[in-house]
Amino acid sequence: MRPPTPINSMVRAWLLCVALLSTSVLTLSRPDLKPSPAIAADRNDITTLRSRAENPSLLRIMPLGASITNGYRSTGHNGYRNYIRQQLRYKGWDVEMVGSLRNGTMIDNFNEGHFGFRVDQLSKEAVKSTPQQPNVILINAGTDDALQNHKVGTTGVRMNSLLDLLFEKVPHTTIILSTLLPNKDKPELVGWISDQYRALAAKRRKSGDRVVLADMSSFIPLDELADATHPTDAGYKRMASVWWAAIEDAFQEDMIQHYNYTITAKLEKSLDNSTSNPNLPSYTAPAQPTNTNNAFSHSPQAVLPTVIVQLLGVLAFL
Ligand SMILES: *[C@@H]1O[C@H](CO)[C@@H](O)[C@H](O)[C@H]1NC(C)=O
Ligand SMILES: *[C@@H]1O[C@H](CO)[C@@H](O)[C@H](O)[C@H]1NC(C)=O
Ligand SMILES: *[C@@H]1O[C@H](CO)[C@@H](O)[C@H](O)[C@H]1NC(C)=O
């Protein structure tokens, strides 16, 4: 092999420097999440809700998000909501959906799924339903941040603020946070946001918050999207599988706090008389994230040694 000429070396070293600088800048510009010790401390102060042992059956669920939550493109406009409700009924739970909107042919069709809404726009919608004290909140939001290319590097920070608000309004609730579905228009951006949510869920869980990640990004295939963004019925059914796995997870971790009442059989019948098996596709959930060791959670202090090592590498190369 021909030894490199001085010019070659210089060009290569320069290219390496440029590459290093750009990755460092990118990493440095991703802010860290702020912790929420108050919420963790409050975790065992159960005043309005009772433990599972005392009353094992009612789930009051708030589906929170945008058009996917609303059910756009699905038959009957029920989206994942009817599938997950049916699954929970089949497994013996009483269910009440809560939300300020009613969409879809299902009877219990309450939801907070707001078309085109970004994460920062959902707070004022969510508080319309928090007085109903949902004990489970399903969040699928952030796709519109990607589609609008709205400060995507900090979507996780805004989601963290939304979680702060929800825990402030409903201290004993369990939040199921989904990663984003694949997207044909902005595949990289939804992937970046999902990474931030994984780090956020890890951080929240570490500080003792009732948060479970529903990782749906790779379970819904591109051919189960009806357009660039919204699932087909089959895709919505897959979403329900992932929600179900996450709710089971929350249940097994003894997170879900229950009401000191069950809804009457008559009310349940008026909401949905079916307890048949919706036959959700089988899904094996990955382990819940437990560390924040990824790009989003790198603090500048942690990045610096890496940069120094890389620079030493460059010097050695020269
Ligand atoms: C959803 O329901 C609300 C009222 O509950 C209505 O204003 C809105 O137009 C509905 N959205 C769709 C897409 O049907
Ligand atoms: C449930 O609440 C009622 C009052 O609404 C109370 O009498 C009862 O003891 C409570 N049950 C439990 C198990 O806390
Ligand atoms: C549920 O209600 C629908 C109509 O409201 C009725 O056609 C159906 O037979 C009922 N199913 C059961 C299991 O009661």
Side-chain angles (χ1 to χ4, degrees):
M1 202 177 79
R2 193 169 58 97
T5 65
I7 300 275
N8 264 347
S9 302
M10 276 174 68
V11 168
R12 271 196 252 173
W14 187 80
L15 283 174
L16 258 175
C17 280
V18 169
L20 277 176
L21 256 174
S22 53
T23 51
S24 308
V25 166
L26 269 178
T27 319
L28 284 168
S29 66
R30 296 179 189 185
D32 206 1
L33 295 164
K34 81 175 176 0
S36 51
I39 291 160
D42 186 47
R43 204 181 164 200
N44 296 315
D45 173 26
I46 298 160
T47 47
T48 54
L49 304 176
R50 299 282 166 178
S51 73
R52 173 161 62 95
E54 287 175 281
N55 195 339
S57 71
L58 178 65
L59 294 182
R60 182 172 277 170
I61 300 181
M62 169 161 76
L64 175 63
S67 51
I68 294 173
T69 299
N70 201 282
Y72 185 57
R73 286 287 201 153
S74 67
T75 304
H77 215 107
N78 298 314
Y80 71 73
R81 292 177 287 115
N82 203 31
Y83 294 124
I84 187 60
R85 195 183 192 289
Q86 280 179 357
Q87 174 72 5
L88 291 165
R89 291 290 298 129
Y90 171 64
K91 293 287 182 176
W93 299 84
D94 283 341
V95 181
E96 272 184 328
M97 309 296 277
V98 304
S100 63
L101 303 178
R102 301 198 67 165
N103 304 94
T105 54
M106 61 193 283
I107 303 166
D108 193 7
N109 61 1
F110 298 91
N111 71 94
E112 291 292 354
H114 301 268
F115 266 78
F117 273 43
R118 302 183 308 258
V119 171
D120 63 319
Q121 298 171 310
L122 285 174
S123 304
K124 69 178 198 309
E125 307 304 322
V127 295
K128 292 175 182 169
S129 294
T130 48
Q132 294 181 63
Q133 299 284 295
N135 54 355
V136 174
I137 300 176
L138 306 179
I139 306 181
N140 174 268
T143 301
D144 287 289
D145 297 58
L147 293 177
Q148 298 169 31
N149 203 349
H150 175 80
K151 304 181 198 164
V152 169
T154 52
T155 306
V157 175
R158 292 189 296 283
M159 180 58 77
N160 190 49
S161 304
L162 180 60
L163 299 196
D164 274 342
L165 175 80
L166 293 169
F167 280 129
E168 180 203 321
K169 301 287 181 190
V170 200
H172 314 294
T173 199
T174 296
I175 295 180
I176 313 287
L177 175 63
S178 90
T179 60
L180 299 186
L181 302 188
N183 189 281
K184 290 179 190 165
D185 282 346
K186 302 282 183 201
E188 294 86 11
L189 296 187
V190 295
W192 188 8
I193 293 172
S194 291
D195 281 344
Q196 293 172 49
Y197 290 175
R198 291 184 188 101
L200 171 58
K203 190 147 190 161
R204 286 285 186 168
R205 290 175 61 82
K206 205 170 173 182
S207 56
D209 294 340
R210 292 187 170 91
V211 171
V212 175
L213 187 76
D215 204 324
M216 31 186 91
S217 303
S218 55
F219 190 58
I220 287 84
L222 283 176
D223 65 4
E224 288 186 5
L225 296 182
D227 52 23
T229 298
H230 305 91
T232 59
D233 286 344
Y236 277 118
K237 212 167 181 182
R238 278 180 190 266
M239 285 186 77
S241 295
V242 184
W243 290 126
W244 165 240
I247 291 170
E248 264 192 310
D249 206 324
F251 181 68
Q252 268 148 29
E253 290 186 55
D254 215 6
M255 278 188 186
I256 298 175
Q257 299 301 297
H258 292 269
Y259 290 89
N260 178 15
Y261 70 88
T262 45
I263 59 178
T264 62
K266 191 170 168 225
L267 174 58
E268 176 51 40
K269 197 174 165 108
S270 76
L271 292 174
D272 176 9
N273 62 7
S274 161
T275 53
S276 60
N277 187 355
N279 293 308
L280 299 183
S282 64
Y283 168 76
T284 307
Q288 285 295 310
T290 52
N291 64 63
T292 55
N293 184 24
N294 66 30
F296 181 63
S297 61
H298 277 172
S299 65
Q301 294 91 319
V303 169
L304 208 55
T306 319
V307 171
I308 289 168
V309 167
Q310 287 172 330
L311 282 176
L312 285 175
V314 171
L315 288 177
F317 183 83
L318 289 171

